[in-house]
Coordinates of all heavy atoms in Angstrom, one line a residue:
M4 N -11.3 3.6 46.4 CA -11.1 3.5 45.0 C -12.2 4.2 44.3 O -13.4 4.0 44.7 CB -11.0 2.0 44.5 CG -10.7 1.9 43.0 SD -10.5 0.2 42.6 CE -8.8 -0.1 43.0
R6 N -15.2 5.1 42.1 CA -16.2 4.3 41.3 C -16.7 5.1 40.1 O -17.2 6.2 40.2 CB -17.4 3.9 42.2 CG -17.0 3.1 43.5 CD -18.2 3.0 44.4 NE -19.3 2.2 43.8 CZ -19.4 0.9 43.7 NH1 -18.4 0.2 44.2 NH2 -20.4 0.4 43.2
M16 N -13.2 3.6 22.8 CA -12.7 4.3 24.0 C -13.2 3.7 25.3 O -12.5 3.6 26.3 CB -12.9 5.8 23.9 CG -11.9 6.6 23.1 SD -10.2 6.3 23.6 CE -10.3 6.8 25.3
G18 N -13.7 0.6 25.8 CA -12.8 -0.5 26.1 C -11.5 -0.1 26.7 O -10.9 -0.8 27.5
A23 N -7.7 0.6 31.2 CA -6.8 1.5 31.9 C -7.2 1.7 33.3 O -6.4 2.2 34.2 CB -6.8 2.9 31.2
D26 N -6.5 2.1 39.0 CA -6.6 2.8 40.3 C -8.1 3.3 40.6 O -8.4 4.0 41.5 CB -5.7 4.1 40.4 CG -4.2 3.7 40.3 OD1 -3.9 2.5 40.7 OD2 -3.4 4.5 39.8
V31 N -20.3 0.5 36.2 CA -21.4 0.4 35.3 C -21.1 1.2 34.0 O -20.2 2.0 34.0 CB -22.7 0.9 35.9 CG1 -22.5 2.4 36.2 CG2 -24.0 0.6 35.2
V41 N -20.3 -5.8 29.6 CA -19.0 -5.8 28.8 C -18.0 -6.2 29.9 O -17.9 -5.4 30.9 CB -18.7 -4.4 28.2 CG1 -17.3 -4.4 27.7 CG2 -19.7 -4.1 27.1
V46 N -24.2 -3.1 31.5 CA -24.5 -2.1 30.5 C -25.9 -1.6 30.7 O -26.8 -2.5 30.5 CB -24.2 -2.5 29.1 CG1 -24.4 -1.4 28.1 CG2 -22.7 -2.9 29.0
Q48 N -29.0 1.3 29.4 CA -29.4 2.3 28.4 C -29.3 3.6 29.0 O -29.6 3.9 30.2 CB -30.9 2.0 28.0 CG -31.0 0.7 27.2 CD -30.2 0.7 25.9 OE1 -30.2 1.7 25.1 NE2 -29.4 -0.3 25.6
E51 N -31.8 5.3 31.3 CA -31.8 4.8 32.8 C -30.6 5.2 33.5 O -30.4 4.7 34.7 CB -32.0 3.3 32.8 CG -33.0 2.7 31.8 CD -34.4 3.2 32.2 OE1 -34.7 3.4 33.4 OE2 -35.2 3.6 31.3
V76 N -26.6 11.8 29.3 CA -26.0 11.4 30.5 C -25.6 12.6 31.4 O -25.7 12.5 32.6 CB -24.8 10.4 30.2 CG1 -24.0 10.2 31.5 CG2 -25.4 9.2 29.6
G84 N -26.5 14.2 40.9 CA -25.5 14.9 41.6 C -24.1 14.4 41.4 O -23.3 14.3 42.4
S118 N -4.8 13.7 26.0 CA -3.3 13.4 26.1 C -2.6 14.7 26.6 O -2.9 15.8 26.2 CB -2.8 13.0 24.8 OG -2.5 14.1 23.9
Q125 N -0.8 22.5 22.3 CA -1.6 23.7 22.1 C -0.9 24.9 22.7 O -1.0 26.1 22.1 CB -3.0 23.5 22.9 CG -3.9 22.5 22.1 CD -5.2 22.2 22.8 OE1 -5.4 22.6 24.0 NE2 -6.1 21.6 22.2
D139 N 2.4 31.6 6.9 CA 1.2 30.9 6.5 C 1.0 29.7 7.4 O 2.0 29.0 7.7 CB 1.3 30.4 5.0 CG 1.3 31.6 4.1 OD1 0.8 32.7 4.4 OD2 1.8 31.4 2.9
H146 N -7.1 10.4 11.3 CA -7.7 9.4 12.3 C -8.1 8.2 11.5 O -8.2 8.1 10.3 CB -8.9 10.1 13.0 CG -8.5 11.0 14.0 ND1 -8.2 12.4 13.7 CD2 -8.3 10.9 15.4 CE1 -7.9 13.0 14.8 NE2 -7.9 12.1 15.9
N159 N -10.2 21.3 16.0 CA -11.0 22.5 16.3 C -10.5 23.2 17.5 O -10.4 24.5 17.5 CB -12.4 22.2 16.5 CG -13.1 21.8 15.2 OD1 -12.8 22.4 14.2 ND2 -14.1 20.9 15.3
D170 N -5.8 36.6 13.1 CA -7.1 36.7 12.4 C -7.1 35.9 11.1 O -6.8 36.5 10.0 CB -7.2 38.2 12.1 CG -8.6 38.6 11.5 OD1 -9.5 37.7 11.6 OD2 -8.8 39.7 11.0
G179 N -10.2 23.2 -7.2 CA -10.4 24.2 -8.1 C -9.1 25.0 -8.4 O -8.0 24.4 -8.3
H180 N -9.3 26.3 -8.7 CA -8.1 27.0 -9.3 C -8.2 28.4 -8.7 O -8.9 29.3 -9.2 CB -8.3 27.1 -10.8 CG -7.1 27.7 -11.5 ND1 -5.9 27.1 -11.7 CD2 -6.9 29.0 -12.0 CE1 -5.1 27.9 -12.3 NE2 -5.7 29.1 -12.4
E220 N -0.2 7.0 20.0 CA 0.2 5.6 19.6 C -0.8 4.6 20.1 O -0.9 3.5 19.5 CB 1.6 5.2 20.3 CG 2.7 6.1 19.9 CD 3.4 5.9 18.6 OE1 2.7 5.5 17.7 OE2 4.6 6.1 18.5

Side-chain angles (χ1 to χ4, degrees):
M4 184 173 278
R6 296 173 63 85
M16 277 306 304
D26 298 334
V31 64
V41 171
V46 178
Q48 291 297 313
E51 309 304 321
V76 169
S118 78
Q125 289 179 349
D139 292 339
H146 285 85
N159 285 326
D170 187 13
H180 185 80
E220 304 277 33

